Amino acid sequence: METPDRPILPKYVKLLWDLDDPGSRGPKRGMSLDQILEAAIAIADAEGFAALSMSRVAKQLGFTAMSLYRYVDSRDTLIELLMDRIVGAPPTLPADAGWRAGLEAWAWGEFHAIRVHPWWLDIPLSSPPVGPNNMAWLEAGLTAMTDVPIPESLKLQLVTNLSFYVIGRARFLQDTIKQAKDDKDYPAILAQVLDPARFPAITSALSHQAFDDDDMQWEEADFRFALDRLLDGYEHFITKFTTETR
């Protein structure tokens, strides 16, 4: 029975937490939820998120779309399950190294997990994640801050804000930085169109070959630089908070 403290669980939540029996109705089961998710991941890895459909996944498995619906009731449910599956388990964070080292490892782990399946960034985020893998990530992030003397609500804000940073940076790097890096003419084009009087700072960067460092791994370096600055801000905030509340 649904009550304010015990709402009826959506289908995808039951499947995520193994509280449902997919495919229990109808003919004898010939596939598993794991097989369905792995097939969906293979399709999206090869063809992109837009290629995902119930019929496409069913075809990949050699079944009809109606057979698939006995396990997963909709494409939306399938996507919710995939969002949890592809992030996987969180990394093992360094023990006794302090909150900053823990959150740094956590952020890099999420960054690399997203880049394994970059189509994840194309999935609309319609609701907060509730799956076991996502909860394991949140648990790891909050655990890294166990000894930080700030309220639990602030710890949660810092961890979720860090995840927003990772997702945003991964999306920006995928859409912008790689394209600019691959375009070898980018600095030359800028040099031709920019008026030094109007854009003196960019002109200076161009003249000092700031865009031309072929040895720089731009995606990794850009992520690292901004992550370090974000954690610098965290460190300042925590120090200020603990000083003012003593």
Side-chain angles (χ1 to χ4, degrees), residues 201-223:
I202 301 176
T203 300
S204 176
L206 285 167
S207 65
H208 288 87
Q209 298 182 317
F211 294 87
D212 299 334
D213 188 352
D214 292 333
D215 294 328
M216 177 72 76
Q217 294 181 339
W218 281 101
E219 296 179 3
E220 296 277 326
D222 188 75
F223 182 85

Side-chain angles (χ1 to χ4, degrees), residues 40-57:
I41 291 171
I43 292 168
D45 283 346
E47 305 172 30
F49 173 68
L52 271 182
S53 67
M54 297 292 280
S55 60
R56 179 69 180 83
V57 174

